[in-house]
Amino acid sequence: MKIGIPRSLLFFYYYPFWEELFKELGIKVVVSDQNNERIMNKGVKYSISEICVPMKVYVGQVLDLVEQGVDLVYVPRIVSIQKDVTICPKFLGLPDMIKYSLEGMENRVLTHKIEQESDDISNWKDYQIFLEIFDISKKELKRALKKASEKWQEYRAMHRKGFTSDQLLEDVKRTPDTGDLTIGVLGYVYNVYDKFVNMDLLGKLREMNVNIVTFEMIDDEVIQREVDQFAPRKKMFWEFSNKLLGAGYHFLKSDEIDGVIHVTAFGCGPDSILGPFLDIDSDKYDTPFMTLRIDEQTGESHLLTRVEAFVDLLRLQKTKEARKCEK
Amino acid sequence: MNDLYIGVDIGSVSINIVGLDDSKDMQFKLYKRNPGSPVEVVKEGLASLNKKLKDRFKIAGVGVTGSGRQLIGYILGADIVKNEITAHATATIEQVPDVRTIFEIGGQDSKLIVINNEIVTDFAMNTVCAAGTGSFLDHQAERLGVEIEEFGDLALQATKDVRIAGRCTVFAESDMISKQQYGFTKPEIINGLCEALVRNYFNNLVRGKELHPRFVFQGGVAANAGIKAAIEKEINDEVIIPDNHDVMGAIGIALLAQEEMREKDEPSSFKGFSITHDNFETSSFICEDCANECEVIRIQANGKTIAMTGDRCGKWASDPRDIDVKDETSA
Ligand code: SF4
Ligand code: SF4
């Protein structure tokens, strides 16, 4: 049996987990191609037009896997990875959207609910359908999940050492940070690492000699502290938006970060609330903040102009501050 | 012979070229609206610059900015190629050192640049929505049968306010027609349109940001007195329109070229005026090497490929070469 995993959405957060899990169960995994024009066009064509861009990409990626001849596409229903906090509702309906809006998909989706209390999604209770589908014992399942969890923890540990997910998942060169500027690139993993939709933002920044910090590198406690401070009595957002909120405030306050770029997808509901909070507060912390809105037809020259101008601004500010200190 | 710094701004609705001398005085200025082929306009522009100044000046540095900066920068052998935000801000700060806010409205795009202590601290750009740019006015002027040059002064003759719903050019048009039918005068309608444009600009770009004086208003639309008045009404303060407000990008990039050359201590990499006699041709082809199917643009000089762009992977841009392609389309 061949299982397909779309290279989209939480792929960039959980792939090492899923890869190890299926490997341990002896199941062959196929990952869809890197997002490209053809996949994107297909996604746009077969999704409802109002939905956010990442969901359209996901649809395209699923169709790509079907073309590659996989037996099942793995589309877990990720409900929550934190006690009492769900993730963006679009994820909750994702398996249904794939099953019933794409022709011939009804029986080609492997789905089950993931409703856990931590980011480590290895609690076996959510995976019971695997017992029957893959004809395995409970013991085998638990062992595979444990292995998957270990792999994923290693992956997360590498983040904390300062590696971005594209460096870990693809063969992006892992050079030490030598840039004279550090930018916090704030965004959901599927926006930050979809090179096609964001016109290779990370590559462009690296070319401009900029070091990149993302939310995955920040300790959970730091993120949680910022989130609690922001709204002590209330849970403001869905889970990944909370992570961005916490990391975002940490970036704004940190002396090591010269500026923040918020990468947000056209049509994203949560970001339309999250973005302005950070933008308005960025003045308070004297940290330049720029919103980069991406969609299926972002113009490259426009994006490059904005990124370049932002980097210019940060460099000029930095040299000026340095001059002030010399005096 | 004195030094001359050339600044070229390749925008989507105009191409501007200026020449600044060592003391930053303008020796040459060209503002060309609705240019056909950028390469031809630049060639002609440089030829006339050369004719006018060749006895007194030698080229000490060349800078290119604007949305078409990469290719032209390559053709000219520019010393510096920079984005238009940095270029515009540089020019404004030179003229109005204590500027804090720049409103820039051009024919097809608009910008807001926030400055503190002569450094850009924030900016916003709009290239998607026509309702906050000059093309909104062009369009409506045509509908009303008014020359765009008269537009602004007519607006000032309005005696009553009329609000035109101007969120989008399409709505503005239908609203304008009904207001005309109600009997509002032309100046009143025009004034309403100016205010609608400014409202759009503030909704799209300012979005509640706190702005500080001094305020500068520049770009092609700054010549329009009606818009200037509408902005002043919106911010309740005075705006300055700088000299040469229509070529600020070109001035800025010339200043940046001058700075660059001072630091570099090398001769300019400008390819010389002989390029004005070269024959450039632009064509494109679809690369089929991967699923992205990029439209690759290539520039040939006298039949030889000198630059390529438009490829997502960079494999053509980094190594421009002559190739045979079947489905070629001349642009
Ligand atoms: S958080 Fe935003 S981008 Fe992500 S799925 Fe939800 S709406 Fe789409
Ligand atoms: S130019 Fe590069 S990215 Fe574009 S289609 Fe060709 S190989 Fe693919």
mmCIF file of all heavy atoms in Angstrom, chain B residues 131-175:
data_model
loop_
_atom_site.group_PDB
_atom_site.id
_atom_site.type_symbol
_atom_site.label_atom_id
_atom_site.label_comp_id
_atom_site.label_asym_id
_atom_site.label_seq_id
_atom_site.Cartn_x
_atom_site.Cartn_y
_atom_site.Cartn_z
ATOM 1 N N ALA B 131 -7.980 52.327 -7.322
ATOM 2 C CA ALA B 131 -8.775 53.415 -6.767
ATOM 3 C C ALA B 131 -7.970 54.383 -5.907
ATOM 4 O O ALA B 131 -8.458 55.446 -5.565
ATOM 5 C CB ALA B 131 -9.951 52.856 -5.966
ATOM 6 N N GLY B 132 -6.754 54.033 -5.535
ATOM 7 C CA GLY B 132 -5.934 54.963 -4.761
ATOM 8 C C GLY B 132 -4.794 55.533 -5.575
ATOM 9 O O GLY B 132 -3.828 56.038 -5.032
ATOM 10 N N THR B 133 -4.868 55.479 -6.881
ATOM 11 C CA THR B 133 -3.769 55.959 -7.711
ATOM 12 C C THR B 133 -4.276 56.908 -8.795
ATOM 13 O O THR B 133 -5.478 57.090 -8.966
ATOM 14 C CB THR B 133 -3.040 54.808 -8.426
ATOM 15 O OG1 THR B 133 -3.891 54.303 -9.460
ATOM 16 C CG2 THR B 133 -2.693 53.684 -7.476
ATOM 17 N N GLY B 134 -3.338 57.462 -9.527
ATOM 18 C CA GLY B 134 -3.667 58.434 -10.553
ATOM 19 C C GLY B 134 -4.549 57.892 -11.665
ATOM 20 O O GLY B 134 -5.318 58.641 -12.276
ATOM 21 N N SER B 135 -4.463 56.596 -11.918
ATOM 22 C CA SER B 135 -5.240 56.065 -13.046
ATOM 23 C C SER B 135 -6.740 56.188 -12.774
ATOM 24 O O SER B 135 -7.544 56.271 -13.689
ATOM 25 C CB SER B 135 -4.865 54.610 -13.334
ATOM 26 O OG SER B 135 -5.235 53.787 -12.274
ATOM 27 N N PHE B 136 -7.107 56.252 -11.508
ATOM 28 C CA PHE B 136 -8.491 56.494 -11.116
ATOM 29 C C PHE B 136 -8.954 57.838 -11.683
ATOM 30 O O PHE B 136 -10.017 57.958 -12.293
ATOM 31 C CB PHE B 136 -8.556 56.486 -9.581
ATOM 32 C CG PHE B 136 -9.883 56.861 -8.976
ATOM 33 C CD1 PHE B 136 -10.926 55.951 -8.936
ATOM 34 C CD2 PHE B 136 -10.069 58.114 -8.412
ATOM 35 C CE1 PHE B 136 -12.132 56.284 -8.347
ATOM 36 C CE2 PHE B 136 -11.272 58.456 -7.818
ATOM 37 C CZ PHE B 136 -12.312 57.546 -7.788
ATOM 38 N N LEU B 137 -8.093 58.847 -11.509
ATOM 39 C CA LEU B 137 -8.450 60.180 -11.996
ATOM 40 C C LEU B 137 -8.468 60.236 -13.520
ATOM 41 O O LEU B 137 -9.378 60.799 -14.113
ATOM 42 C CB LEU B 137 -7.456 61.212 -11.484
ATOM 43 C CG LEU B 137 -7.521 61.584 -10.008
ATOM 44 C CD1 LEU B 137 -6.605 62.760 -9.752
ATOM 45 C CD2 LEU B 137 -8.940 61.908 -9.573
ATOM 46 N N ASP B 138 -7.458 59.662 -14.131
ATOM 47 C CA ASP B 138 -7.384 59.645 -15.595
ATOM 48 C C ASP B 138 -8.687 59.142 -16.175
ATOM 49 O O ASP B 138 -9.266 59.723 -17.083
ATOM 50 C CB ASP B 138 -6.274 58.690 -16.060
ATOM 51 C CG ASP B 138 -4.923 59.368 -16.006
ATOM 52 O OD1 ASP B 138 -4.885 60.564 -15.668
ATOM 53 O OD2 ASP B 138 -3.916 58.691 -16.288
ATOM 54 N N HIS B 139 -9.106 58.048 -15.582
ATOM 55 C CA HIS B 139 -10.294 57.366 -16.049
ATOM 56 C C HIS B 139 -11.534 58.239 -15.921
ATOM 57 O O HIS B 139 -12.325 58.368 -16.852
ATOM 58 C CB HIS B 139 -10.449 56.112 -15.193
ATOM 59 C CG HIS B 139 -11.280 55.072 -15.807
ATOM 60 N ND1 HIS B 139 -10.824 54.276 -16.832
ATOM 61 C CD2 HIS B 139 -12.559 54.706 -15.565
ATOM 62 C CE1 HIS B 139 -11.785 53.453 -17.177
ATOM 63 N NE2 HIS B 139 -12.860 53.699 -16.436
ATOM 64 N N GLN B 140 -11.685 58.853 -14.748
ATOM 65 C CA GLN B 140 -12.885 59.662 -14.517
ATOM 66 C C GLN B 140 -12.839 60.962 -15.309
ATOM 67 O O GLN B 140 -13.874 61.450 -15.765
ATOM 68 C CB GLN B 140 -13.084 59.973 -13.023
ATOM 69 C CG GLN B 140 -13.015 58.781 -12.089
ATOM 70 C CD GLN B 140 -13.883 57.624 -12.528
ATOM 71 O OE1 GLN B 140 -14.890 57.800 -13.206
ATOM 72 N NE2 GLN B 140 -13.481 56.418 -12.166
ATOM 73 N N ALA B 141 -11.631 61.507 -15.489
ATOM 74 C CA ALA B 141 -11.502 62.742 -16.265
ATOM 75 C C ALA B 141 -12.020 62.495 -17.676
ATOM 76 O O ALA B 141 -12.749 63.301 -18.252
ATOM 77 C CB ALA B 141 -10.040 63.190 -16.307
ATOM 78 N N GLU B 142 -11.649 61.356 -18.189
ATOM 79 C CA GLU B 142 -12.071 60.989 -19.527
ATOM 80 C C GLU B 142 -13.600 60.921 -19.596
ATOM 81 O O GLU B 142 -14.227 61.425 -20.508
ATOM 82 C CB GLU B 142 -11.474 59.623 -19.838
ATOM 83 C CG GLU B 142 -11.262 59.354 -21.300
ATOM 84 C CD GLU B 142 -10.563 58.016 -21.450
ATOM 85 O OE1 GLU B 142 -9.421 57.879 -20.952
ATOM 86 O OE2 GLU B 142 -11.195 57.114 -22.006
ATOM 87 N N ARG B 143 -14.179 60.286 -18.604
ATOM 88 C CA ARG B 143 -15.649 60.158 -18.553
ATOM 89 C C ARG B 143 -16.335 61.509 -18.556
ATOM 90 O O ARG B 143 -17.365 61.702 -19.176
ATOM 91 C CB ARG B 143 -16.049 59.439 -17.269
ATOM 92 C CG ARG B 143 -16.244 57.983 -17.414
ATOM 93 C CD ARG B 143 -17.378 57.550 -16.513
ATOM 94 N NE ARG B 143 -18.681 57.848 -17.120
ATOM 95 C CZ ARG B 143 -19.372 56.978 -17.827
ATOM 96 N NH1 ARG B 143 -18.916 55.775 -18.017
ATOM 97 N NH2 ARG B 143 -20.535 57.312 -18.336
ATOM 98 N N LEU B 144 -15.716 62.446 -17.805
ATOM 99 C CA LEU B 144 -16.338 63.758 -17.666
ATOM 100 C C LEU B 144 -15.975 64.684 -18.823
ATOM 101 O O LEU B 144 -16.469 65.797 -18.905
ATOM 102 C CB LEU B 144 -15.885 64.408 -16.354
ATOM 103 C CG LEU B 144 -16.411 63.784 -15.065
ATOM 104 C CD1 LEU B 144 -15.636 64.316 -13.878
ATOM 105 C CD2 LEU B 144 -17.897 64.093 -14.901
ATOM 106 N N GLY B 145 -15.075 64.223 -19.657
ATOM 107 C CA GLY B 145 -14.627 65.061 -20.760
ATOM 108 C C GLY B 145 -13.817 66.253 -20.287
ATOM 109 O O GLY B 145 -13.922 67.351 -20.819
ATOM 110 N N VAL B 146 -13.010 66.068 -19.267
ATOM 111 C CA VAL B 146 -12.168 67.146 -18.750
ATOM 112 C C VAL B 146 -10.717 66.730 -18.956
ATOM 113 O O VAL B 146 -10.367 65.583 -18.739
ATOM 114 C CB VAL B 146 -12.424 67.336 -17.234
ATOM 115 C CG1 VAL B 146 -11.485 68.373 -16.655
ATOM 116 C CG2 VAL B 146 -13.860 67.713 -16.977
ATOM 117 N N GLU B 147 -9.881 67.676 -19.376
ATOM 118 C CA GLU B 147 -8.455 67.360 -19.493
ATOM 119 C C GLU B 147 -7.900 67.125 -18.095
ATOM 120 O O GLU B 147 -8.200 67.884 -17.166
ATOM 121 C CB GLU B 147 -7.708 68.522 -20.147
ATOM 122 C CG GLU B 147 -7.994 68.706 -21.624
ATOM 123 C CD GLU B 147 -7.529 67.511 -22.457
ATOM 124 O OE1 GLU B 147 -6.432 66.991 -22.172
ATOM 125 O OE2 GLU B 147 -8.279 67.109 -23.368
ATOM 126 N N ILE B 148 -7.046 66.114 -17.962
ATOM 127 C CA ILE B 148 -6.528 65.780 -16.638
ATOM 128 C C ILE B 148 -5.754 66.954 -16.034
ATOM 129 O O ILE B 148 -5.759 67.170 -14.830
ATOM 130 C CB ILE B 148 -5.684 64.476 -16.684
ATOM 131 C CG1 ILE B 148 -5.210 64.071 -15.294
ATOM 132 C CG2 ILE B 148 -4.513 64.569 -17.628
ATOM 133 C CD1 ILE B 148 -6.273 63.448 -14.459
ATOM 134 N N GLU B 149 -5.131 67.768 -16.899
ATOM 135 C CA GLU B 149 -4.365 68.916 -16.388
ATOM 136 C C GLU B 149 -5.274 69.953 -15.721
ATOM 137 O O GLU B 149 -4.855 70.686 -14.834
ATOM 138 C CB GLU B 149 -3.572 69.587 -17.520
ATOM 139 C CG GLU B 149 -2.364 68.797 -18.009
ATOM 140 C CD GLU B 149 -2.756 67.637 -18.916
ATOM 141 O OE1 GLU B 149 -3.887 67.656 -19.468
ATOM 142 O OE2 GLU B 149 -1.947 66.689 -19.044
ATOM 143 N N GLU B 150 -6.525 70.052 -16.186
ATOM 144 C CA GLU B 150 -7.439 71.064 -15.627
ATOM 145 C C GLU B 150 -8.158 70.548 -14.392
ATOM 146 O O GLU B 150 -8.809 71.296 -13.668
ATOM 147 C CB GLU B 150 -8.527 71.433 -16.651
ATOM 148 C CG GLU B 150 -8.012 71.968 -17.951
ATOM 149 C CD GLU B 150 -9.123 71.943 -19.011
ATOM 150 O OE1 GLU B 150 -10.303 71.800 -18.635
ATOM 151 O OE2 GLU B 150 -8.785 72.048 -20.193
ATOM 152 N N PHE B 151 -8.069 69.265 -14.206
ATOM 153 C CA PHE B 151 -8.857 68.575 -13.198
ATOM 154 C C PHE B 151 -8.746 69.215 -11.817
ATOM 155 O O PHE B 151 -9.740 69.567 -11.182
ATOM 156 C CB PHE B 151 -8.363 67.130 -13.134
ATOM 157 C CG PHE B 151 -9.409 66.137 -12.765
ATOM 158 C CD1 PHE B 151 -10.226 65.584 -13.744
ATOM 159 C CD2 PHE B 151 -9.569 65.727 -11.455
ATOM 160 C CE1 PHE B 151 -11.182 64.653 -13.414
ATOM 161 C CE2 PHE B 151 -10.530 64.798 -11.125
ATOM 162 C CZ PHE B 151 -11.332 64.253 -12.099
ATOM 163 N N GLY B 152 -7.503 69.392 -11.383
ATOM 164 C CA GLY B 152 -7.261 69.868 -10.028
ATOM 165 C C GLY B 152 -7.814 71.261 -9.799
ATOM 166 O O GLY B 152 -8.457 71.537 -8.777
ATOM 167 N N ASP B 153 -7.578 72.161 -10.770
ATOM 168 C CA ASP B 153 -8.023 73.535 -10.570
ATOM 169 C C ASP B 153 -9.539 73.625 -10.570
ATOM 170 O O ASP B 153 -10.125 74.411 -9.827
ATOM 171 C CB ASP B 153 -7.416 74.427 -11.656
ATOM 172 C CG ASP B 153 -5.898 74.452 -11.525
ATOM 173 O OD1 ASP B 153 -5.419 74.473 -10.373
ATOM 174 O OD2 ASP B 153 -5.208 74.412 -12.558
ATOM 175 N N LEU B 154 -10.159 72.797 -11.387
ATOM 176 C CA LEU B 154 -11.616 72.767 -11.398
ATOM 177 C C LEU B 154 -12.159 72.370 -10.029
ATOM 178 O O LEU B 154 -13.142 72.931 -9.547
ATOM 179 C CB LEU B 154 -12.115 71.769 -12.446
ATOM 180 C CG LEU B 154 -12.447 72.328 -13.828
ATOM 181 C CD1 LEU B 154 -12.833 71.199 -14.764
ATOM 182 C CD2 LEU B 154 -13.567 73.348 -13.726
ATOM 183 N N ALA B 155 -11.488 71.387 -9.415
ATOM 184 C CA ALA B 155 -11.948 70.897 -8.115
ATOM 185 C C ALA B 155 -12.020 72.026 -7.098
ATOM 186 O O ALA B 155 -12.913 72.084 -6.258
ATOM 187 C CB ALA B 155 -11.024 69.796 -7.616
ATOM 188 N N LEU B 156 -11.054 72.967 -7.206
ATOM 189 C CA LEU B 156 -10.997 74.047 -6.227
ATOM 190 C C LEU B 156 -12.168 75.018 -6.366
ATOM 191 O O LEU B 156 -12.446 75.794 -5.466
ATOM 192 C CB LEU B 156 -9.673 74.803 -6.361
ATOM 193 C CG LEU B 156 -8.415 73.960 -6.106
ATOM 194 C CD1 LEU B 156 -7.176 74.826 -6.176
ATOM 195 C CD2 LEU B 156 -8.483 73.251 -4.760
ATOM 196 N N GLN B 157 -12.857 74.964 -7.508
ATOM 197 C CA GLN B 157 -13.990 75.880 -7.698
ATOM 198 C C GLN B 157 -15.281 75.364 -7.062
ATOM 199 O O GLN B 157 -16.307 76.041 -7.094
ATOM 200 C CB GLN B 157 -14.241 76.091 -9.198
ATOM 201 C CG GLN B 157 -13.109 76.814 -9.900
ATOM 202 C CD GLN B 157 -13.239 76.724 -11.408
ATOM 203 O OE1 GLN B 157 -14.314 76.419 -11.919
ATOM 204 N NE2 GLN B 157 -12.145 76.968 -12.105
ATOM 205 N N ALA B 158 -15.223 74.167 -6.528
ATOM 206 C CA ALA B 158 -16.438 73.596 -5.944
ATOM 207 C C ALA B 158 -16.899 74.436 -4.768
ATOM 208 O O ALA B 158 -16.089 74.917 -3.983
ATOM 209 C CB ALA B 158 -16.181 72.169 -5.501
ATOM 210 N N THR B 159 -18.198 74.637 -4.662
ATOM 211 C CA THR B 159 -18.708 75.407 -3.533
ATOM 212 C C THR B 159 -19.417 74.510 -2.520
ATOM 213 O O THR B 159 -19.597 74.874 -1.383
ATOM 214 C CB THR B 159 -19.696 76.495 -4.013
ATOM 215 O OG1 THR B 159 -20.621 75.888 -4.908
ATOM 216 C CG2 THR B 159 -18.963 77.615 -4.726
ATOM 217 N N LYS B 160 -19.832 73.350 -2.967
ATOM 218 C CA LYS B 160 -20.499 72.422 -2.043
ATOM 219 C C LYS B 160 -19.734 71.100 -2.023
ATOM 220 O O LYS B 160 -19.080 70.731 -2.984
ATOM 221 C CB LYS B 160 -21.924 72.117 -2.543
ATOM 222 C CG LYS B 160 -22.902 73.244 -2.338
ATOM 223 C CD LYS B 160 -24.343 72.759 -2.498
ATOM 224 C CE LYS B 160 -24.741 72.309 -3.892
ATOM 225 N NZ LYS B 160 -24.725 73.306 -4.942
ATOM 226 N N ASP B 161 -19.856 70.393 -0.925
ATOM 227 C CA ASP B 161 -19.254 69.062 -0.856
ATOM 228 C C ASP B 161 -20.221 68.030 -1.393
ATOM 229 O O ASP B 161 -21.406 68.070 -1.090
ATOM 230 C CB ASP B 161 -18.952 68.698 0.602
ATOM 231 C CG ASP B 161 -17.610 69.251 1.011
ATOM 232 O OD1 ASP B 161 -16.850 69.652 0.108
ATOM 233 O OD2 ASP B 161 -17.321 69.284 2.223
ATOM 234 N N VAL B 162 -19.699 67.094 -2.155
ATOM 235 C CA VAL B 162 -20.521 65.954 -2.519
ATOM 236 C C VAL B 162 -19.670 64.713 -2.346
ATOM 237 O O VAL B 162 -18.504 64.686 -2.724
ATOM 238 C CB VAL B 162 -21.095 66.071 -3.948
ATOM 239 C CG1 VAL B 162 -20.031 66.491 -4.926
ATOM 240 C CG2 VAL B 162 -21.724 64.761 -4.388
ATOM 241 N N ARG B 163 -20.248 63.714 -1.697
ATOM 242 C CA ARG B 163 -19.455 62.524 -1.419
ATOM 243 C C ARG B 163 -19.671 61.488 -2.506
ATOM 244 O O ARG B 163 -20.784 61.048 -2.762
ATOM 245 C CB ARG B 163 -19.880 61.941 -0.068
ATOM 246 C CG ARG B 163 -18.975 60.834 0.392
ATOM 247 C CD ARG B 163 -19.466 60.323 1.740
ATOM 248 N NE ARG B 163 -18.751 59.098 2.072
ATOM 249 C CZ ARG B 163 -17.715 59.055 2.894
ATOM 250 N NH1 ARG B 163 -17.271 60.152 3.456
ATOM 251 N NH2 ARG B 163 -17.124 57.904 3.156
ATOM 252 N N ILE B 164 -18.580 61.127 -3.170
ATOM 253 C CA ILE B 164 -18.657 60.089 -4.191
ATOM 254 C C ILE B 164 -18.169 58.787 -3.559
ATOM 255 O O ILE B 164 -17.090 58.748 -2.976
ATOM 256 C CB ILE B 164 -17.757 60.407 -5.400
ATOM 257 C CG1 ILE B 164 -18.013 61.825 -5.896
ATOM 258 C CG2 ILE B 164 -17.899 59.352 -6.487
ATOM 259 C CD1 ILE B 164 -18.920 61.974 -7.052
ATOM 260 N N ALA B 165 -18.948 57.746 -3.678
ATOM 261 C CA ALA B 165 -18.522 56.459 -3.147
ATOM 262 C C ALA B 165 -17.400 55.949 -4.030
ATOM 263 O O ALA B 165 -17.624 55.571 -5.167
ATOM 264 C CB ALA B 165 -19.682 55.478 -3.148
ATOM 265 N N GLY B 166 -16.206 55.975 -3.517
ATOM 266 C CA GLY B 166 -15.083 55.687 -4.407
ATOM 267 C C GLY B 166 -14.233 54.517 -3.976
ATOM 268 O O GLY B 166 -13.050 54.448 -4.243
ATOM 269 N N ARG B 167 -14.820 53.545 -3.315
ATOM 270 C CA ARG B 167 -14.047 52.381 -2.871
ATOM 271 C C ARG B 167 -13.408 51.656 -4.025
ATOM 272 O O ARG B 167 -12.402 50.994 -3.883
ATOM 273 C CB ARG B 167 -14.967 51.393 -2.159
ATOM 274 C CG ARG B 167 -15.089 51.708 -0.734
ATOM 275 C CD ARG B 167 -14.876 50.530 0.161
ATOM 276 N NE ARG B 167 -14.503 51.065 1.445
ATOM 277 C CZ ARG B 167 -13.354 50.854 2.014
ATOM 278 N NH1 ARG B 167 -12.466 50.095 1.441
ATOM 279 N NH2 ARG B 167 -13.072 51.376 3.162
ATOM 280 N N CYS B 168 -14.057 51.752 -5.157
ATOM 281 C CA CYS B 168 -13.591 50.997 -6.300
ATOM 282 C C CYS B 168 -13.978 51.801 -7.527
ATOM 283 O O CYS B 168 -15.010 52.472 -7.528
ATOM 284 C CB CYS B 168 -14.280 49.641 -6.265
ATOM 285 S SG CYS B 168 -14.372 48.834 -7.821
ATOM 286 N N THR B 169 -13.164 51.752 -8.552
ATOM 287 C CA THR B 169 -13.427 52.576 -9.730
ATOM 288 C C THR B 169 -14.806 52.316 -10.307
ATOM 289 O O THR B 169 -15.456 53.212 -10.806
ATOM 290 C CB THR B 169 -12.374 52.326 -10.825
ATOM 291 O OG1 THR B 169 -12.201 50.943 -10.944
ATOM 292 C CG2 THR B 169 -11.083 52.999 -10.504
ATOM 293 N N VAL B 170 -15.244 51.085 -10.222
ATOM 294 C CA VAL B 170 -16.532 50.744 -10.814
ATOM 295 C C VAL B 170 -17.683 51.417 -10.075
ATOM 296 O O VAL B 170 -18.571 52.020 -10.665
ATOM 297 C CB VAL B 170 -16.740 49.211 -10.818
ATOM 298 C CG1 VAL B 170 -18.070 48.867 -11.454
ATOM 299 C CG2 VAL B 170 -15.601 48.526 -11.534
ATOM 300 N N PHE B 171 -17.609 51.356 -8.729
ATOM 301 C CA PHE B 171 -18.651 52.017 -7.936
ATOM 302 C C PHE B 171 -18.613 53.525 -8.132
ATOM 303 O O PHE B 171 -19.640 54.175 -8.230
ATOM 304 C CB PHE B 171 -18.468 51.722 -6.455
ATOM 305 C CG PHE B 171 -18.846 50.332 -6.086
ATOM 306 C CD1 PHE B 171 -17.952 49.496 -5.438
ATOM 307 C CD2 PHE B 171 -20.107 49.844 -6.404
ATOM 308 C CE1 PHE B 171 -18.304 48.209 -5.106
ATOM 309 C CE2 PHE B 171 -20.469 48.552 -6.070
ATOM 310 C CZ PHE B 171 -19.561 47.727 -5.424
ATOM 311 N N ALA B 172 -17.410 54.054 -8.166
ATOM 312 C CA ALA B 172 -17.259 55.495 -8.291
ATOM 313 C C ALA B 172 -17.959 55.971 -9.553
ATOM 314 O O ALA B 172 -18.643 56.983 -9.556
ATOM 315 C CB ALA B 172 -15.784 55.869 -8.328
ATOM 316 N N GLU B 173 -17.796 55.199 -10.591
ATOM 317 C CA GLU B 173 -18.363 55.604 -11.860
ATOM 318 C C GLU B 173 -19.888 55.680 -11.789
ATOM 319 O O GLU B 173 -20.483 56.670 -12.202
ATOM 320 C CB GLU B 173 -17.949 54.589 -12.925
ATOM 321 C CG GLU B 173 -17.860 55.199 -14.272
ATOM 322 C CD GLU B 173 -16.941 54.374 -15.135
ATOM 323 O OE1 GLU B 173 -15.724 54.409 -14.874
ATOM 324 O OE2 GLU B 173 -17.437 53.691 -16.035
ATOM 325 N N SER B 174 -20.498 54.651 -11.251
ATOM 326 C CA SER B 174 -21.959 54.679 -11.227
ATOM 327 C C SER B 174 -22.458 55.741 -10.254
ATOM 328 O O SER B 174 -23.445 56.421 -10.506
ATOM 329 C CB SER B 174 -22.524 53.301 -10.894
ATOM 330 O OG SER B 174 -22.037 52.886 -9.653
ATOM 331 N N ASP B 175 -21.728 55.915 -9.153
ATOM 332 C CA ASP B 175 -22.157 56.934 -8.196
ATOM 333 C C ASP B 175 -22.023 58.326 -8.801
ATOM 334 O O ASP B 175 -22.873 59.196 -8.612
ATOM 335 C CB ASP B 175 -21.327 56.825 -6.915
ATOM 336 C CG ASP B 175 -21.990 57.548 -5.760
ATOM 337 O OD1 ASP B 175 -23.238 57.555 -5.720
ATOM 338 O OD2 ASP B 175 -21.280 58.106 -4.916
#
